Structures are given as structure tokens and as C-alpha cells.
Amino acid sequence: MFGNEYVTLRESTSLVSKGTTGLRTWPAALYFAEFLLTEEMRNVVNDKQILELGSGIGFLGIFLQKINSKINFTFTDCNEEVLDNIKENFKLNFSETPCRANKLDWEALDKCDNLTTDIVLATDVVYDLRIIKPLINILNILLKFNENCQIFIASTIRNEDTSELFKKTLDESELLFQLLSPANCDEIFLYDRTAKFEILKIYKK
Ligand SMILES: C[S@@+](CC[C@H](N)C(=O)[O-])C[C@H]1O[C@@H](n2cnc3c(N)ncnc32)[C@H](O)[C@@H]1O
């Protein structure tokens, strides 16, 4: 709950279910959502076109559309079951608004539809060494569609090596990053606050 608003979600209690990690909300999404409520970040996302990578069950996009109905938000994920779950969760929260939830698999990018967007968000998608390169590849593609788009990736740091490899691969692909330090965020959601989180803002060199 934030203000008078709620997000209602149907989600799994398991970390992995039906072969995917996408059927529950991960902690970096909750951490990042609290950061999005700060004035600084509200000004960044207000009324913008936003595309999320690896959306999971859709918490972040539903939350953002609850705090600003003018946001034009597109969920994406590689998993059909996850995409169906986003659509169901969306309906639980909005009866009239259309839900944009599209299949986008960073590992199968033979042809890309128009992916022009102002802002790219992703939470807890840096956990598997195998998907680091495809993830950075899609970031480069998104920057080709709009070189000024702002990219934010929030991660729970469970393994420093994975996080370091992500940063090293960003550097090798000529992308710059800035480590953001959220301050004065209200504590709204329930998650393990002793965990280590990082939010990177990523740019073209
Ligand atoms: C750990 S879950 C995080 C879900 C959500 N972002 C959150 O924070 O709650 C990782 C998500 O990335 C998606 N994913 C993994 N590999 C992907 C790929 N190659 N292309 C697109 N999405 C992918 C999974 O389907 C899953 O929904």
C-alpha cells in the first residue's frame, strides 16, 4: 500500500516455478519502486514512455501506472506463461486500461519491432552469467532506437562476481554506467532490507 493505493498480484511463493523465475516479485523491484516514489525519480518517469525488460509478474509497471496514469508502459518478457500472468495481474488492478505486454527474448533477436522508448527499466535480471551479454545487446539495440533513452537496472547483489561481470561487459560494449544512491526513500514494501542492492543508470559513451 502507498498512499491510498494498492497493487493486487497473483504470484508464486517459490523462487522458481514452472521453470521460470518470473512468477513472483523479486526484492530489487520493491527496492526500486520505493526509489521511484522520490521526487527526483517521479520527475524522471512522469508522463513518459517506459519499456520494462524481464517484467516477471508485472509489479513494477502496475505500481507505476497506479502512481501516474499518464505513463505509457510496456511490459516485456521471454516467457509466455509470465506474459499471461502479467495480463491477469493487470486486470486485477485496472478494469479499463489496455495492458501492453509483449514477448521480447534478448536471446532470440532475429528481428526487432520498433523499440523506441524514453525509459528502460529492469529489476533483478542480472543473476545468470549466460544472459549478461544478450541483456547488454538489447540495451544497445534500445539505444540505437533512441540514443537519449534513460536506462535503469536495479539488482539484488547475491554474487559480486556476477555483478562485476555485468559492469565489465557494459564497459567492453562501450556503455557507461553511474551507480545511483537512493536516499530518503520511504519504507513502503516488505522485503529483506539487509540485502545489498544496486541501481545502475546506463548511458551510451
Ligand atoms: C528474477 S526474475 C525478475 C522478475 C521481475 N523483474 C522482478 O524483479 O520481480 C527474471 C525475469 O527475467 C526474465 N528473463 C530471463 N531471461 C530472459 C531473456 N532472455 N529475455 C527476456 N526476459 C528474460 C524471466 O522470464 C523473468 O521474468
Side-chain angles (χ1 to χ4, degrees), residues 21-22 25-26 29 54-56 77-78 104-107 123-124 127:
T21 54
T25 304
W26 287 72
S55 296
D77 206 279
C78 62
L104 180 63
D105 183 344
W106 327 319
E107 292 174 276
T123 62
D124 267 329
Y127 58 96

Side-chain angles (χ1 to χ4, degrees), residues 6-12 22-25 55-63 65-66 75 81-101:
Y6 291 87
V7 170
T8 307
L9 298 169
R10 188 182 72 126
E11 64 180 297
S12 166
L23 293 173
R24 59 169 291 165
T25 304
S55 296
I57 56 159
F59 162 72
L60 198 62
I62 294 171
F63 164 78
Q65 287 170 92
K66 289 251 166 161
F75 302 91
E81 181 130 12
V82 169
L83 289 165
D84 287 345
N85 209 312
I86 292 173
K87 289 173 195 157
E88 276 181 42
N89 276 327
F90 197 86
K91 261 195 236 148
L92 292 176
N93 291 278
F94 305 100
S95 51
E96 311 261 298
T97 322
C99 173
R100 283 174 291 271

Side-chain angles (χ1 to χ4, degrees), residues 117-119 142-151 204:
T117 187
D118 302 319
I119 295 184
L142 288 157
L143 283 163
K144 278 196 188 127
F145 279 101
N146 174 10
E147 66 176 15
N148 296 318
C149 84
Q150 303 194 58
I151 301 175
K204 209 170 159 61

